[in-house]
Amino acid sequence: MLDNKANLLNYVNGAWVQSPGAEYLNVTNPATAEVLGCVPLTAADEVDRAASSAAAAFPAWRRVPAPARIQYLFKLKNLLDANFEDLSRTITMENGKTLDDARGEMRRAIENVEVACGIPTMMMGDFSEDVAPGVDEYMIRQPVGVAAILCPFNFPGMIPFWYLPYALACGNTVIVKPSERTPITMQKVFRLLEEVQLPKGVANLVNGGAATVNALLDHPAIHAVTFVGSTPVARHVYSRAAANGKRVQAQGGAKNALIVLPDADVTMTTNIVTDSAFGNAGQRCLAASLAVTVGDADRIFRPVLAEAASARVVGYGLDPGVQMGPVITPESRARIQGLINKGIEEGAEVVVDGRDAVIQGYERGNFLRPTVLDRVKPGSTIAKTEIFGPVLGLMHVDTVEEAVQLVNSGVYGNMACVFTTSGAAARKFRYEADAGNVGINIGVAAPMAFFPFSGWKNSFFGTLHAQGKHAVEFFTQTKVVVERWLTEWSRKF
Ligand code: NAD
């Protein structure tokens, strides 16, 4: 197993390799400030070795029949199950989320492996007989080639699995680049991939930051790029990869609003909204950032949301009973504190103030407590900016129409949710919300592995999304064959 204090390694062409001459960054437990390991910022020449080995492995791997390719995934699933607890604890240690959240994340990762085991069916083509006399036409799906999978810090276990199992099962070879802030989970996953004994070069792991990403985006042997991270970087990755002729999908940031109607169930809604806002310390792309109360919901929900936020137990995610961990870095904490200050300057009222959190025993951790800001002004910084921290802004409107308008006025479109007991209001919202993931009495509308993770607007650049059938389409190219065979019958035409 990985020695946690050691330099992390890359996995290239079936071997663990030190990154020669690379600079290293500390990987730090955000709750304790303990250094867990050092991650190499891989330079372009080593990216080239990884891309070349993935390209060299591709012709043989694509010829392995799909039913045989998925046997590796069945083995991987069993190994992920067997190492579930260790992987979940690793996520908590490097990311800070609670162990329960980390387990949920790994469960989602495994579900994607399970869905990708259906590739022999999911990759099937279409056949049309007699498109002209004696002529048949069919479409087959073939793998794209080498895929680069670029990941953010906030789901170090799950997000690589939105892509990895589909890419492999479709016959592609891959290079995974985890976030340099949370690279240890993938280091462990690749130990499991090693046990699965994929052919050399089929799955590669390259660590690093922006320069490593850019080397991957520019490498001519890479044909497909997936990215999940912040919107400015998503935009950069999308345009640079596309300019280099690659197919690319880039999922970006978010500013998710939840609408609460006066008829919503009070206890359920309060629990769900606060879980959404403060789970993973607000560091989810599906975190509730704004709650828009409609009419009398202001009076009903303001006090109970504040009470639930104040009651949240903050601490180290491995400790029992903890409901919220730290944010990822001291810089992140300072940025979030700055945004709260800005919100107050802009006229928001502090209902719950989580800026100065000190957790006994974890004084060096990057902790904040939940913060609730009321009377957030439309158009203000705090109303528009992705905070990516445990801050819930409250806004109030008189009608559902105004609430939908407010939700749709933002530049992001990752998620929008409504809380109500009215079917008509829910349908109107589902129909009109400009967001790709919609929740109805759900606060984190994360699609299951067999549905696409459907961001819109500035939350997504591309056409095909992560997971399920979209991933199969993304990792395959279609080939259409028109075929004539002369027969006695077709000779007559
Ligand atoms: P980030 O954009 O800082 O980093 C993501 C990846 O890009 C990392 O691998 C990093 O090494 C690389 N990178 C960073 N700067 C770069 C640059 N200038 N050029 C090239 N590569 C660069 O994102 P993060 O802080 O790791 O993750 C948080 C963000 O991800 C939030 O905005 C969140 O909303 C978003 N996110 C979106 C989704 C989604 O599905 N839409 C899911 C999870 C997270």
Side-chain angles (χ1 to χ4, degrees):
M1 292 303 277
L2 176 75
D3 169 4
N4 274 343
K5 301 281 183 210
N7 285 346
L8 303 186
L9 301 173
N10 291 336
Y11 187 70
V12 174
N13 203 26
W16 289 97
V17 287
Q18 286 274 0
S19 196
E23 279 179 49
Y24 281 79
L25 279 185
N26 282 343
V27 181
T28 306
N29 182 325
T32 63
E34 181 198 355
V35 174
L36 301 171
C38 299
V39 63
L41 302 178
T42 304
D45 54 347
E46 205 179 336
V47 167
D48 177 53
R49 272 195 290 284
S52 304
S53 88
F58 175 65
W61 178 242
R62 69 162 285 209
R63 283 175 167 76
V64 175
R69 288 197 300 259
I70 62 165
Q71 298 312 312
Y72 294 94
L73 294 189
F74 283 118
K75 285 186 204 152
L76 179 62
K77 177 197 151 39
N78 288 336
L79 285 168
L80 290 168
D81 280 337
N83 290 273
F84 183 80
E85 211 47 33
D86 179 49
L87 290 166
S88 303
R89 291 179 73 84
T90 304
I91 291 171
T92 296
M93 287 171 71
E94 66 175 350
N95 168 278
K97 65 182 68 176
T98 65
L99 188 53
D100 266 357
D101 272 350
R103 289 178 180 135
E105 171 174 352
M106 274 320 297
R107 187 50 57 212
R108 273 291 158 93
I110 294 169
E111 280 167 13
N112 274 286
V113 179
E114 291 165 353
V115 171
C117 286
I119 287 294
T121 310
M122 292 168 89
M123 219 180 141
M124 280 163 70
D126 295 325
F127 194 101
S128 203
E129 200 173 45
D130 284 339
V131 294
V135 178
D136 305 325
E137 185 164 339
Y138 51 96
M139 184 275 284
I140 49 183
R141 293 194 170 277
Q142 297 192 333
V144 175
V146 180
I149 299 170
L150 313 173
C151 308
F153 82 84
N154 64 332
F155 283 92
M158 175 184 76
I159 285 178
F161 281 95
W162 281 359
Y163 307 104
L164 175 83
Y166 304 98
L168 292 178
C170 288
N172 303 278
T173 56
V174 301
I175 303 169
V176 176
K177 208 295 287 172
S179 165
E180 63 277 33
R181 286 179 277 177
T182 53
I184 299 175
T185 306
M186 272 304 112
Q187 193 89 177
K188 290 193 171 183
V189 164
F190 268 73
R191 294 277 177 200
L192 304 180
L193 273 166
E194 192 181 20
E195 279 186 53
V196 162
Q197 295 187 327
L198 282 163
K200 279 182 186 170
V202 168
N204 303 276
L205 176 71
V206 167
N207 288 287
T212 314
V213 167
N214 289 337
L216 289 162
L217 300 180
D218 292 344
H219 201 287
I222 293 171
H223 305 98
V225 173
T226 71
F227 172 86
V228 181
S230 59
T231 290
V233 183
R235 209 187 280 279
H236 160 75
V237 166
Y238 187 66
S239 43
R240 187 151 170 172
N244 285 325
K246 304 178 195 315
R247 61 171 62 189
V248 50
Q249 58 167 283
Q251 319 237 19
K255 181 76 185 174
N256 305 306
L258 315 185
I259 295 184
V260 183
L261 303 192
D263 63 2
D265 181 274
V266 176
T267 308
M268 177 194 75
T269 303
T270 305
N271 289 340
I272 293 179
V273 171
T274 45
D275 275 348
S276 176
F278 307 124
N280 199 9
Q283 299 169 117
R284 290 182 185 136
C285 67
L286 297 181
S289 190
L290 295 169
V292 182
T293 50
V294 178
D296 211 24
D298 175 16
R299 183 187 56 78
I300 304 168
F301 283 96
R302 185 184 201 255
V304 285
L305 286 172
E307 197 182 311
S310 310
R312 214 156 181 91
V313 181
V314 180
Y316 185 21
L318 287 183
D319 289 344
V322 166
Q323 295 170 307
M324 188 179 110
V327 297
I328 189 72
T329 55
E331 295 74 26
S332 231
R333 182 178 53 183
R335 186 184 53 77
I336 296 160
Q337 286 164 332
L339 279 166
I340 298 170
N341 294 341
K342 179 80 182 160
I344 297 165
E345 265 168 51
E346 289 177 334
E349 289 170 24
V350 194
V351 182
V352 182
D353 189 348
R355 280 174 290 182
D356 296 320
V358 178
I359 307 299
Q360 217 182 351
Y362 300 106
E363 288 79 4
R364 295 176 63 216
N366 315 318
F367 287 99
L368 290 159
R369 289 186 189 277
T371 293
V372 180
L373 296 176
D374 195 12
R375 312 288 153 190
V376 170
K377 297 207 167 38
S380 63
T381 307
I382 202 98
K384 293 188 300 194
T385 311
E386 178 177 41
I387 300 173
F388 225 56
V391 182
L392 179 64
L394 303 182
M395 299 172 98
H396 309 285
V397 293
D398 293 329
T399 63
V400 179
E401 285 71 23
E402 283 175 81
V404 173
Q405 223 171 32
L406 195 57
V407 166
N408 290 351
S409 66
V411 297
Y412 295 103
N414 217 32
M415 181 184 79
C417 304
V418 66
F419 291 83
T420 181
T421 46
S422 155
R427 186 186 188 280
K428 176 183 170 62
F429 184 78
R430 185 196 76 205
Y431 194 86
E432 293 180 7
D434 283 342
N437 302 295
V438 168
I440 296 172
N441 297 316
I442 297 285
V444 179
M448 296 292 288
F450 33 90
F451 282 102
F453 195 101
S454 291
W456 283 12
K457 294 163 79 177
N458 280 0
S459 299
F460 182 72
F461 303 94
T463 312
L464 294 163
H465 296 85
Q467 301 196 140
K469 288 184 211 158
H470 273 219
V472 176
E473 283 194 46
F474 184 79
F475 288 118
T476 55
Q477 48 196 342
T478 52
K479 183 179 275 182
V480 175
V481 183
V482 189
E483 190 170 293
R484 183 200 312 276
W485 295 103
L486 286 175
T487 61
E488 275 178 35
W489 173 260
S490 65
R491 275 180 206 281
K492 292 182 195 162
F493 294 91

